[in-house]
């Protein structure tokens, strides 16, 4: 079952970010340092009394500065309502109730999920007494808290987790099923791809970004292989504010990738490779998921693939190579991810995309035999030794403690010598024997115990 989502909403300067940092236990850097992508990190996983959930700081959403303040906070409240399992509505106990608070409350009263009203900055007895005025917002009980000092946070968290949805029988997963997350920017054709794979209109397809409101899990069988497709298409609003679109695109893709084995990153062939594509593709790498890149709408770039009678033809090799080269240049961190060229509208390349995704999932779970692994690592280190100030990096033994993704542990003389470039070299040597297309390979070094370096 996916982690419940808790959205923190409210007008500016009421302490939303302070509460966010309090809940996660530390300050969070705004810029993610994953190679190849930059994105705001406005969410974090939290655990309280054994329950895990994701807290979302809507105060960090990048909105158009030309929009009036009330419109901005209304947008934040609406998109939080469309995503969250619980909403924490923060008001300022020092300022008292404002017109903007009332505007937000008007929106939140129609929410289908529970709303917890938090009167922040109630640092003294007077403010705690004055907080009763917020009952006029019509959102039920109030919780007096101080994000800065931690007052009332534990009781608020107890209330929050008590409101999480119960686990449903349909959330139980088939252990043999491969979970494929269809992710990408709005309007690249994710729902169309899902329909093309299923061969029927199972979800709404629309050219308007934001048609699909919720992540949809679709279970089916592909040639005796059980699959679950997670369609993360769109955002609720049509996309007036680009920052909002980027924010929830990242949020939905993140949640889907966490629950999947393979991410099918969908790109609009005609639009080319945009920052949003790199942002989503980077998350597949960040979470260690298998990944294939589905270049959709290829019929708009290579019109020769569809014959006059609708028959499918081979794509133009030159155009395929040019797009692949451009993608590798823009997303070098996904060098292992295969590109498949499809047209969901014309049902072109659909079978190959699913078969490629299944292969990526199988590679994601692949285990290299220990003897073979040690031979490959030994040959690679002897062929190209790693030297540092006259010392040689020595690998005594290699094991593969886990898969999904394949993870290799090297017991060595000095783990600090294991440079990123040498890690990439060993990975390339492994892929010569085991290509493992569609999955990352993690290689970690650990100092061997009780080994005499001499």
């Amino acid at each position: 079952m996916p982690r419940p989502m808790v959205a923190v909403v409210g007008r500016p300067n009421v302490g939303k970010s302070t509460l966010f940092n309090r809940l996660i236990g530390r300050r969070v850097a705004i810029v993610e340092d994953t190679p190849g992508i930059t994105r705001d990190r406005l969410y974090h996983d939290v655990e309280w009394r054994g329950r895990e959930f994701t807290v979302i700081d809507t105060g960090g959403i990048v909105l158009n500065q030309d929009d009036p303040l009330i419109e901005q906070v209304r947008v934040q409240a609406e998109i939080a309502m469309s995503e969250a399992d619980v909403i924490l509505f923060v008001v300022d106990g020092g300022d008292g109730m404002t017109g903007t608070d009332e505007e937000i409350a008007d929106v939140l009263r129609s929410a289908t999920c529970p709303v917890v009203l938090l009167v922040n900055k109630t640092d003294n007895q007077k403010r705690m007494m004055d907080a009763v005025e917020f009952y006029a917002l019509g959102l039920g009980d109030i919780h007096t808290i101080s994000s800065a000092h931690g007052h009332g946070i534990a009781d608020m968290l107890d209330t929050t987790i008590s409101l999480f949805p119960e686990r449903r029988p349909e959330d139980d997963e088939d252990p043999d099923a491969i979970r494929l997350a269809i992710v990408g920017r709005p309007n690249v054709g994710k729902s169309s791809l899902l329909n093309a794979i299923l061969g029927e209109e199972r979800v709404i397809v629309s050219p308007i970004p934001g048609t699909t409101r919720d992540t949809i899990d679709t279970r089916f069988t592909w040639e005796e292989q059980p699959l679950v497709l997670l369609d993360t298409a769109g955002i609720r609003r049509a996309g007036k504010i680009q920052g909002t679109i980027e924010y929830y695109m990242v949020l939905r893709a993140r949640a889907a990738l966490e629950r999947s084995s393979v991410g099918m990153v969908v790109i609009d062939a005609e639009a080319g490779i945009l920052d949003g594509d790199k942002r989503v593709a980077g998350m597949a790498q960040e979470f260690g998921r298998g990944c294939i890149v589905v270049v959709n709408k290829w019929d708009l770039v290579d019109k020769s693939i569809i014959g006059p009678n609708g028959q499918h033809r081979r794509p133009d090799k030159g155009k395929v190579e040019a797009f692949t080269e451009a993608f590798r240049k823009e997303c070098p961190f996904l060098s292992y991810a295969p590109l498949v060229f499809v047209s969901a509208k014309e049902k072109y390349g659909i079978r190959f995309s699913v078969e490629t995704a299944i292969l990526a999932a199988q590679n994601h779970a692949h285990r290299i035999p220990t003897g073979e692994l040690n031979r490959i690592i030994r040959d690679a280190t002897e062929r190209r030794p790693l030297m540092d100030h006259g010392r040689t990096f020595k690998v005594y033994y290699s094991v593969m403690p886990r898969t999904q993704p394949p993870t290799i542990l090297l017991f060595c003389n000095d783990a600090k010598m294991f440079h990123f470039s040498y890690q990439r070299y060993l990975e390339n040597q492994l892929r010569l024997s085991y290509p493992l297309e569609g999955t990352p390979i993690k290689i970690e070094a650990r100092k061997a115990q009780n080994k005499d370096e001499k």
Side-chain angles (χ1 to χ4, degrees):
M1 183 177 181
R3 291 185 181 92
M5 291 191 180
V6 177
V8 182
V9 304
R11 60 185 175 84
N13 301 319
V14 295
K16 296 190 299 296
S17 294
T18 304
L19 175 61
F20 179 77
N21 288 332
R22 170 69 63 177
L23 294 178
I24 67 175
R26 62 185 175 88
R27 292 180 180 271
V28 175
I30 296 300
V31 178
E32 184 75 2
D33 59 0
T34 303
I37 62 170
T38 301
R39 61 183 175 84
D40 291 337
R41 191 174 180 87
L42 305 173
Y43 49 80
H44 205 279
D45 294 333
V46 175
E47 182 179 352
W48 180 255
R49 301 193 190 282
R51 288 300 303 271
E52 293 184 347
F53 60 95
T54 299
V55 61
I56 312 160
D57 178 14
T58 62
I61 300 176
V62 180
L63 298 174
N64 189 329
Q65 296 301 313
D66 296 331
D67 288 334
L69 174 62
I70 290 179
E71 175 61 17
Q72 292 188 34
V73 295
R74 180 185 293 275
V75 169
Q76 291 185 5
E78 288 180 351
I79 56 183
M81 286 165 52
S82 72
E83 299 293 327
D85 295 292
V86 176
I87 295 175
L88 303 181
F89 177 25
V90 185
V91 296
D92 190 328
D95 293 345
M97 191 164 58
T98 68
T100 305
D101 294 330
E102 294 180 35
E103 289 280 347
I104 300 174
D106 287 341
V107 176
L108 294 180
R109 271 193 289 271
S110 62
T112 57
C113 66
V115 178
V116 180
L117 178 56
L118 308 179
V119 185
N120 194 24
K121 306 182 185 178
T122 52
D123 302 305
N124 54 54
Q125 190 66 28
K126 182 181 183 303
R127 288 190 178 182
M128 293 181 69
M129 296 293 292
D130 292 342
V132 296
E133 70 171 313
F134 289 98
Y135 278 108
L137 294 176
L139 293 174
D141 291 338
I142 62 172
H143 292 256
T144 54
I145 67 168
S146 171
S147 298
H149 301 103
H151 161 71
I153 299 298
D155 290 340
M156 178 271 292
L157 284 171
D158 286 342
T159 298
T160 300
I161 64 173
S162 72
L163 297 172
F164 288 162
E166 296 294 328
R167 184 179 179 89
R168 300 161 299 179
E170 56 266 31
D171 293 321
D172 294 329
E173 300 178 3
D174 179 352
D176 296 325
I178 294 174
R179 302 179 68 83
L180 308 176
I182 303 177
V183 297
R185 293 185 299 105
N187 209 30
V188 294
K190 298 185 292 296
S191 291
S192 297
L193 177 64
L194 174 63
N195 288 336
I197 291 173
L198 297 174
E200 56 182 320
E201 297 296 317
R202 289 285 293 275
V203 296
I204 298 172
V205 178
S206 169
I208 303 174
T211 301
T212 303
R213 172 174 173 177
D214 300 311
T215 299
I216 300 170
D217 288 15
T218 304
R219 292 170 170 79
F220 71 110
T221 301
W222 180 278
E223 296 182 353
E224 299 185 359
Q225 171 62 58
L227 299 177
V228 180
L229 286 179
L230 287 69
D231 174 26
T232 61
I235 300 166
R236 188 179 182 187
R237 289 176 68 91
K240 183 180 101 172
I241 301 172
Q242 183 61 28
T244 303
I245 290 215
E246 293 292 316
Y247 172 72
Y248 273 99
M249 174 198 70
V250 169
L251 184 63
R252 278 195 174 147
R254 177 183 187 271
L257 286 168
E258 280 189 322
R259 300 168 52 212
S260 68
S261 300
V262 175
M264 301 178 72
V265 179
V266 186
I267 292 178
D268 185 331
E270 193 174 36
I273 305 158
L274 305 181
D275 287 343
D277 301 319
K278 291 186 280 187
R279 199 169 281 120
V280 175
M283 278 190 293
Q285 166 73 10
E286 176 185 351
F287 293 130
R289 298 300 184 255
C291 180
I292 72 168
V293 179
V294 181
V295 186
N296 192 28
K297 307 181 186 180
W298 191 245
D299 57 310
L300 302 180
V301 174
D302 183 0
K303 300 184 184 303
S304 66
I305 63 171
I306 306 299
N309 298 320
Q311 70 272 30
H312 295 172
R313 297 175 173 176
R314 290 182 178 276
D316 184 300
K317 185 177 179 181
K319 292 181 178 179
V320 167
E321 290 178 347
F323 194 98
T324 302
E325 183 179 353
F327 181 85
R328 299 298 184 209
K329 182 178 179 180
E330 293 288 337
C331 302
F333 51 89
L334 279 184
S335 59
Y336 56 84
L339 274 67
V340 292
F341 297 83
V342 310
S343 170
K345 178 183 176 182
E346 301 292 342
K347 309 295 189 293
Y348 176 87
I350 301 303
R351 169 173 288 275
F352 183 61
S353 69
V354 176
E355 291 173 348
T356 303
I358 292 174
L359 178 60
Q362 293 169 345
N363 289 337
H364 193 239
H366 183 79
R367 184 177 296 277
I368 301 174
T370 302
E372 182 68 8
L373 174 64
N374 278 272
R375 183 192 64 77
I376 295 172
I377 296 296
R378 182 181 64 251
D379 291 348
T381 54
E382 290 177 353
R383 187 180 307 111
R384 180 183 158 187
L386 174 61
M387 308 288 293
D388 185 17
H389 295 90
R391 298 179 65 230
T392 303
F393 177 72
K394 297 179 181 179
V395 178
Y396 302 118
Y397 192 69
S398 307
V399 295
M400 198 168 178
R402 58 186 178 272
T403 61
Q404 296 181 325
T407 302
I408 295 165
L409 185 59
L410 309 178
F411 290 95
C412 62
N413 59 334
D414 187 352
K416 294 180 180 179
M417 293 179 65
F418 192 48
H419 191 267
F420 173 78
S421 61
Y422 201 70
Q423 176 182 339
R424 180 59 57 87
Y425 162 70
L426 293 182
E427 178 182 338
N428 291 337
Q429 296 304 302
L430 283 165
R431 290 189 186 275
L432 291 176
S433 300
Y434 296 90
L436 297 180
E437 190 177 39
T439 182
I441 299 175
K442 291 187 176 182
I443 306 177
E444 304 169 2
R446 183 181 299 174
K447 181 176 174 57
Q449 300 298 319
N450 304 319
K451 276 286 184 179
D452 185 341
E453 186 172 328
K454 180 179 178 181

